[in-house]
């Protein structure tokens, strides 16, 4: 059982510039009067607000009935007395109960609006969370692992460390790292419920205990700070429109002296022979399609700058090339075909590209497959690995 002191650990604040009243933590008072400070700050804040008042409860993880009653009364009273005001309550799907609970208030007062901020919170979300990405990730990890298993120890992965894999996707990497390096524990977090369901099933099928799969938003995690020796975030800074927010969080949860390890691509540097020109054209276009959805698939070589700007030290960087000569060329051909399905079949279509453009776009992928399977051909996909240490 929690002690009273830890049961009620929350912070309230008001940001006047953004007209945002925030509550963070666990709000479980014994009596309504225990929330007098919160009530007073809310009432004071209200006086200066015009237009929209934002009430941010994204990181309010627990709330007992006494606290909900107090908050509900405050919001309903404000909504009733100030009909000039829109009250926008910002919830998160990561805190399971919150949208449902606050929605009850908007049924009573129409000027109280509940917005689940991570419902559509980054432009590529639909492709990544519900699109055809799962088969891509499986084969990609299989091919990159051949290289990364040798690279990871140079960046600090070793037996016994406490590790986090943030934006873990379908969890293959966490399973491979767990088997090969025997960390003490891995927390693997993602915002795709279908990917996490898949990951949990894979871990159960392999009888793996010691990986904890968590639903969350990497740019606002509920994980505590300074708890991991080694934090990985692979191929994901490039899909989120504000990678610096994720890096800030990776730094926060890493222990001082621990390391954060990231991998990213630069797709315009994919290559192949024969048919090099058509291949080059298509991958330049891949970068443009991604940029259209505010994702930067060219981020790889920028990793060093990102890590230094985020406050890391001792930044190390290297690159490797996945090719058709690593194992079975058919594996690489399968990856290219799944890129074609998502990039030409889903993303270009959604961007509104013409059939002529899509045909040429597809041709480059098909030529890349041709190069990968050609008896004298060569096809490559470069990846950049970088890691930085959190200062002591
Ligand atoms: C390209 S996939 C990479 C997955 C995995 N790391 C791998 O290498 O196979 C990107 C992943 O990032 C996740 N993601 C993107 N933004 C996120 C966020 N803000 N919070 C948590 N997960 C996020 C997506 O759901 C997706 O699973």
């Amino acid at each position: 059982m929690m002690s009273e002191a830890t049961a009620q650990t929350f912070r309230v604040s008001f940001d006047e510039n953004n007209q945002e009243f925030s509550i963070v933590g666990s709000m479980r008072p014994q009596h309504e009067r225990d929330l007098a400070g919160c009530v007073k700050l809310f009432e004071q804040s209200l006086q200066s607000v015009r237009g929209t008042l934002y009430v941010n409860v994204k990181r309010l993880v627990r709330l007992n009935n006494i606290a909900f009653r107090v908050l509900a009364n405050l919001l309903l009273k404000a909504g009733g007395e100030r009909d000039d005001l829109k009250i926008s309550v910002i919830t998160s799907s990561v805190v399971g109960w919150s949208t449902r609970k606050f929605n009850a208030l908007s049924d009573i007062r129409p000027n109280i609006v509940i917005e689940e901020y991570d419902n559509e919170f980054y432009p590529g979300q639909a492709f990544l969370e519900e699109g055809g990405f799962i088969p891509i990730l499986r084969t990609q990890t299989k091919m990159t692992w051949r290289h990364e298993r040798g690279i990871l120890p140079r960046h600090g992965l070793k037996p016994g460390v406490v590790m986090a894999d943030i934006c873990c996707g379908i969890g293959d990497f966490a399973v491979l790292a767990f088997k090969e390096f025997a960390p003490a524990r891995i927390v693997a977090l993602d915002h795709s419920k279908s990917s996490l369901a898949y990951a949990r099933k894979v871990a159960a099928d392999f009888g793996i205990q010691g990986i904890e799969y968590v639903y969350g938003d990497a740019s606002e995690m509920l994980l505590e700070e300074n708890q991991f020796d080694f934090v990985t975030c692979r191929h994901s800074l490039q899909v989120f429109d504000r990678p610096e927010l994720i890096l800030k969080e990776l730094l926060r949860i890493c222990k001082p002296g621990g390391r954060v390890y990231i991998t990213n691509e630069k797709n315009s540097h994919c290559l192949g022979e024969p048919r090099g020109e058509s291949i080059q054209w298509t991958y330049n276009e891949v970068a443009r399609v991604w940029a259209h959805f505010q994702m930067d698939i060219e981020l790889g070589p920028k990793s060093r700058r990102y890590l230094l700007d985020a406050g890391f030290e001792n930044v190390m960087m290297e690159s490797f090339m996945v090719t058709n000569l690593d194992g079975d060329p058919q594996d690489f051909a399968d990856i290219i075909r799944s890129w074609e399905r998502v990039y030409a079949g889903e993303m270009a279509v959604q961007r509104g590209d013409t059939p002529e453009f899509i045909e040429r776009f597809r041709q480059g992928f098909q030529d890349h497959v041709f190069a990968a399977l050609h008896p004298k051909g060569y096809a490559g996909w470069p990846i950049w690995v970088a890691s930085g240490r959190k200062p002591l």
Side-chain angles (χ1 to χ4, degrees):
M1 229 175 73
M2 276 183 151
S3 72
E4 199 178 328
T6 54
Q8 180 158 270
T9 45
F10 65 89
R11 272 181 292 116
V12 286
S13 58
F14 179 61
D15 173 347
E16 198 161 349
N17 281 340
N18 295 319
Q19 300 202 137
E20 183 178 63
F21 184 84
S22 302
I23 314 173
V24 174
S26 178
M27 203 177 220
R28 300 205 283 187
Q30 302 276 306
H31 311 280
E32 291 196 5
R33 63 173 180 272
D34 298 339
L35 297 181
C38 167
V39 172
K40 191 165 166 214
L41 181 65
F42 183 85
E43 285 172 345
Q44 278 171 355
S45 311
L46 201 58
Q47 287 168 18
S48 65
V49 175
R50 304 278 171 277
T52 304
L53 167 69
Y54 294 95
V55 178
N56 179 343
V57 291
K58 286 193 282 196
R59 288 183 170 199
L60 176 58
V61 286
R62 289 192 193 86
L63 187 68
N64 70 5
N65 285 339
I66 299 174
F68 182 67
R69 205 162 53 234
V70 170
L71 289 184
N73 284 339
L74 272 181
L75 294 172
L76 291 172
K77 183 162 170 263
E81 288 174 356
R82 294 281 305 272
D83 54 9
D84 58 311
L85 211 62
K86 175 181 165 193
I87 302 178
S88 179
V89 181
I90 317 290
T91 60
S92 162
S93 75
V94 175
V95 181
W97 50 266
S98 88
T99 306
R100 187 176 27 89
K101 196 138 186 155
F102 285 102
N103 258 335
L105 305 183
S106 97
D107 294 342
I108 304 171
R109 291 239 183 275
N111 59 339
I112 301 180
V113 177
I114 314 302
E115 291 174 47
E116 193 170 71
Y117 91 101
D118 56 341
N119 187 16
E120 282 182 24
F121 75 123
Y122 68 99
Q125 191 173 357
F127 303 117
L128 283 147
E129 295 190 0
E130 294 129 38
F133 254 86
I134 285 185
I136 297 192
L137 298 182
R138 282 236 87 170
T139 327
Q140 281 191 179
T141 309
K142 181 171 157 192
M143 294 206 77
T144 52
W145 181 251
R146 291 196 182 97
H147 299 265
E148 282 184 88
R149 68 192 302 185
I151 291 174
L152 281 157
R154 291 202 280 283
H155 292 259
L157 183 52
K158 55 181 185 229
V161 296
V162 179
M163 175 176 162
D165 185 31
I166 305 304
C167 303
C168 64
I170 56 170
D172 282 354
F173 174 77
V175 169
L176 291 165
F178 195 80
K179 284 188 184 164
E180 176 99 11
F181 293 100
R185 166 175 169 244
I186 303 184
V187 173
L189 176 145
D190 202 278
H191 193 270
S192 161
K193 286 185 175 157
S194 53
S195 296
L196 286 171
Y198 190 97
R200 290 191 182 106
K201 186 178 174 310
V202 170
D205 286 351
F206 289 146
I208 291 185
Q209 284 158 355
I211 306 179
E212 195 185 320
Y213 290 101
V214 181
Y215 175 62
D217 166 14
S219 64
E220 293 227 28
M221 290 189 275
L222 301 179
L223 299 173
E224 274 172 33
E225 57 198 46
N226 301 332
Q227 56 161 322
F228 298 101
D229 303 293
F230 195 68
V231 179
T232 55
C233 183
R234 301 174 56 266
H235 298 273
S236 300
L237 295 178
Q238 60 186 32
V239 305
F240 194 64
D241 57 332
R242 283 153 299 159
E244 61 286 351
L245 296 187
I246 294 188
L247 274 168
K248 196 169 157 214
E249 283 289 90
L250 302 179
L251 180 70
R252 186 181 66 77
I253 63 170
C254 187
K255 282 184 194 165
R259 290 190 80 87
V260 168
Y261 168 99
I262 59 177
T263 67
N264 291 285
E265 300 165 55
K266 181 175 174 79
N267 239 252
S268 64
H269 281 209
C270 282
L271 49 84
E273 285 298 340
R275 304 189 182 173
E277 240 172 71
S278 154
I279 296 168
Q280 182 69 68
W281 183 87
T282 283
Y283 286 96
N284 282 337
E285 291 303 324
V286 170
R288 293 208 182 96
V289 176
W290 276 58
H292 176 82
F293 293 101
Q294 290 166 52
M295 302 190 279
D296 185 6
I297 199 151
E298 300 286 277
L299 194 145
K302 302 172 193 165
S303 305
R304 182 162 179 252
R305 168 168 62 78
Y306 269 113
L307 286 170
L308 289 168
D309 286 353
F312 290 94
E313 59 183 26
N314 187 239
V315 171
M316 297 180 350
M317 185 143 164
E318 55 190 298
S319 60
F320 64 89
M321 177 94 86
V322 170
T323 80
N324 59 328
L325 306 182
D326 306 348
D328 184 352
Q330 190 58 51
D331 282 347
F332 193 33
D334 289 347
I335 295 184
I336 300 165
R337 283 199 199 288
S338 35
W339 288 340
E340 182 190 341
R341 265 196 302 279
V342 177
Y343 305 165
E346 291 179 28
M347 293 168 76
V349 171
Q350 192 160 323
R351 187 171 63 163
D353 289 330
T354 62
E356 295 74 36
F357 174 89
I358 292 177
E359 195 185 329
R360 187 170 175 200
F361 195 34
R362 281 190 182 279
Q363 188 59 49
F365 292 112
Q366 285 154 21
D367 289 339
H368 207 195
V369 169
F370 182 80
L373 299 180
H374 192 286
K376 296 181 191 168
Y378 184 70
W381 169 42
I383 317 269
W384 277 263
V385 168
S387 73
R389 188 172 62 206
K390 177 168 176 174
L392 288 171

